[in-house]
Amino acid sequence: MAKSKFKVWELSLLIALCLSLCAGTWAQARQNAISGSLVRLHVLAVSDEENEQSIKLDVRDAVLEYISPCLESAQSSDEAKRIVNENLGGIKRAAESAARGRKVTVTLSEEYYPTREYEGFSLPAGRYDSLRVILGDGKGHNWWCVVFPPLCVSAAEQQEALDAMSDDTRSIVAETDGYQIKFRIVELWNEFLELFE
């Protein structure tokens, strides 16, 4: 009898492991589908002082004013990344024009983001291609949005931005049924993977 219970326990453990691996694989595929079609913007302030936070927002506005017209012709995230990469110097100059003498560092790299909720849709936690603008040592609160497709917009323009996404990406980020649970699974899976990097 003890031997039979042990086999049931082993089978239960194996089923749980298989379900966990399947959920993790699904979560990673969903996050990759979303992150592969976006380019995010991340602006980090020098510090949390009110003046530095104000400068951060001025830099954000200058960067968006510069890069948004450049990205209007982009049809894919790969094209958007190429355009951003080709314009890093111009982006840096735009940021410096509003940084009031702060050191500015501009890069295009992969970066981890937590889950972010916008009005009408949500983006899961995970690694995204990111245009990073760091002021000074970047020790202050940050600000982020999505520059491709253009989600650094007002609520009135968000439907236009959603329309610019592929059907698959739009269906993932704009789901109304169960997206919190699905994205929490994605978030937990990504946190687990971060432990091994």
Side-chain angles (χ1 to χ4, degrees):
M1 191 65 133
K3 190 173 184 180
S4 175
K5 285 183 181 177
F6 185 69
K7 287 185 178 181
V8 169
W9 180 83
E10 286 178 328
L11 182 60
S12 297
L13 185 60
L14 183 60
I15 290 171
L17 178 63
C18 288
L19 289 174
S20 296
L21 290 174
C22 288
T25 301
W26 173 86
Q28 188 65 45
R30 294 290 269 193
Q31 199 280 323
N32 287 343
I34 295 169
S35 67
S37 62
L38 304 176
V39 179
R40 298 183 80 162
L41 169 63
H42 193 188
V43 182
L44 293 94
V46 170
S47 72
D48 288 338
E49 291 177 18
E50 187 175 333
N51 182 52
E52 296 300 336
Q53 290 296 308
S54 177
I55 292 169
K56 172 192 72 179
L57 297 178
D58 291 343
V59 168
R60 169 204 64 190
D61 293 343
V63 168
L64 287 173
E65 185 178 334
Y66 177 86
I67 198 62
S68 294
C70 299
L71 291 172
E72 284 179 358
S73 65
Q75 298 296 312
S76 68
S77 63
D78 287 337
E79 194 175 344
K81 286 184 282 189
R82 180 187 55 75
I83 291 168
V84 168
N85 200 40
E86 290 172 355
N87 284 279
L88 288 176
I91 295 166
K92 183 175 182 178
R93 286 188 294 278
E96 288 172 338
S97 73
R100 298 184 212 153
R102 274 68 178 170
K103 179 183 93 171
V104 174
T105 306
V106 176
T107 61
L108 178 62
S109 60
E110 194 175 83
E111 182 177 16
Y112 180 83
Y113 285 86
T115 297
R116 172 77 168 137
E117 293 187 26
Y118 294 89
E119 188 174 318
F121 65 97
S122 183
L123 295 176
R127 301 193 74 73
Y128 290 83
D129 290 309
S130 181
L131 169 58
R132 292 189 61 161
V133 180
I134 303 170
L135 303 175
D137 292 330
K139 302 288 187 189
H141 279 95
N142 58 44
W143 182 91
W144 63 76
C145 71
V146 179
V147 292
F148 181 85
L151 300 180
C152 303
V153 295
S154 67
E157 297 170 298
Q158 285 187 2
Q159 186 58 47
E160 183 179 322
L162 281 171
D163 291 342
M165 293 180 184
S166 70
D167 290 341
D168 187 44
T169 300
R170 184 174 45 254
S171 71
I172 294 170
V173 301
E175 282 185 72
T176 55
D177 296 327
Y179 74 87
Q180 292 98 344
I181 292 170
K182 291 178 182 178
F183 284 174
R184 184 62 184 145
I185 291 169
V186 172
E187 195 171 84
L188 289 171
W189 181 254
N190 282 316
E191 287 173 8
F192 174 74
L193 292 178
E194 289 286 314
L195 293 173
F196 297 99
E197 289 186 0

